[in-house]
Amino acid sequence: MAEFITHSRAETVALGKRLAQRLAPGTLVCFTGGLGAGKTAFTEGLAEGLGCTDPVSSPTFAIVNYYRGPRPLAHFDLYRISSREDLETAGLYDYLDEGAVVAAEWSENFADLLALERPVTVDIRHAGGDERVITIEGVEL
Ligand SMILES: Nc1ncnc2c1ncn2[C@@H]1O[C@H](COP(=O)(O)OP(=O)(O)O)[C@@H](O)[C@H]1O
Ligand SMILES: [Mg+2]
């Protein structure tokens, strides 16, 4: 487990970029932390670090955004998903099988199920102002 403190959006993006260097193909990254914590910002860094050049946006309405690149990234928002069936239909397991890195915002909704995939977990907490406490488990940084 490693804990980081960031003081700006840019620092959180940079941390995501750094984590991307450590991720094997087919790794699931599970985010926890409420609205505005910085999950999408962190994912922007992941995409950058994986070499994906498409712009990153919140997949809230699409459920999943797929970013092409040398190391593709599938970016999920599980906020509106409530059943395992929906998770499968959205393709979460298919993307993992294909070797994409899969980032999942609101993984709280499926904590037990997603734990089976041996995820890297990223928890982001507000710590006043622009400060965030970011706890990363499941990989050495
Ligand atoms: N240290 C920080 N890390 C990440 N985002 C920050 C930070 N400080 C301020 N922010 C702001 O917080 C918001 C985070 O938004 P976003 O990444 O979409 O959050 P989430 O996806 O968790 O809802 C952005 O408006 C960003 O500019
Ligand atoms: Mg988001």
Side-chain angles (χ1 to χ4, degrees):
M1 185 187 102
E3 193 176 276
F4 302 86
I5 295 178
T6 65
H7 305 86
S8 65
R9 187 179 192 282
E11 279 185 32
T12 296
V13 173
L15 186 58
K17 190 170 176 180
R18 182 171 155 197
L19 176 62
Q21 313 310 324
R22 313 292 309 162
L23 298 176
T27 300
L28 175 64
V29 180
C30 281
F31 288 99
T32 51
L35 195 65
K39 304 179 292 296
T40 298
F42 193 104
T43 303
E44 186 179 311
L46 283 181
E48 222 177 279
L50 292 169
C52 302
T53 50
D54 298 340
V56 169
S57 63
S58 175
T60 306
F61 299 104
I63 306 228
V64 58
N65 290 339
Y66 182 76
Y67 309 116
R68 292 160 298 176
R71 303 169 67 205
L73 173 68
H75 179 197
F76 282 81
D77 185 332
L78 305 182
Y79 191 74
R80 283 184 180 72
I81 292 197
S82 55
S83 72
R84 186 199 166 112
E85 197 190 352
D86 287 351
L87 204 59
E88 288 172 0
T89 304
L92 185 130
Y93 296 101
D94 297 328
Y95 285 118
L96 288 174
D97 288 346
E98 285 167 18
V101 168
V102 173
E105 301 195 28
W106 295 102
S107 71
E108 289 95 331
N109 289 358
F110 292 97
D112 295 344
L113 196 60
L114 294 179
L116 300 173
E117 306 304 317
R118 304 175 120 279
V120 170
T121 61
V122 178
D123 178 67
I124 311 181
R125 299 285 145 190
H126 285 266
D130 287 351
E131 209 166 280
R132 303 288 190 274
V133 177
I134 303 181
T135 308
I136 300 178
E137 288 184 74
V139 71
E140 291 298 318
L141 264 190

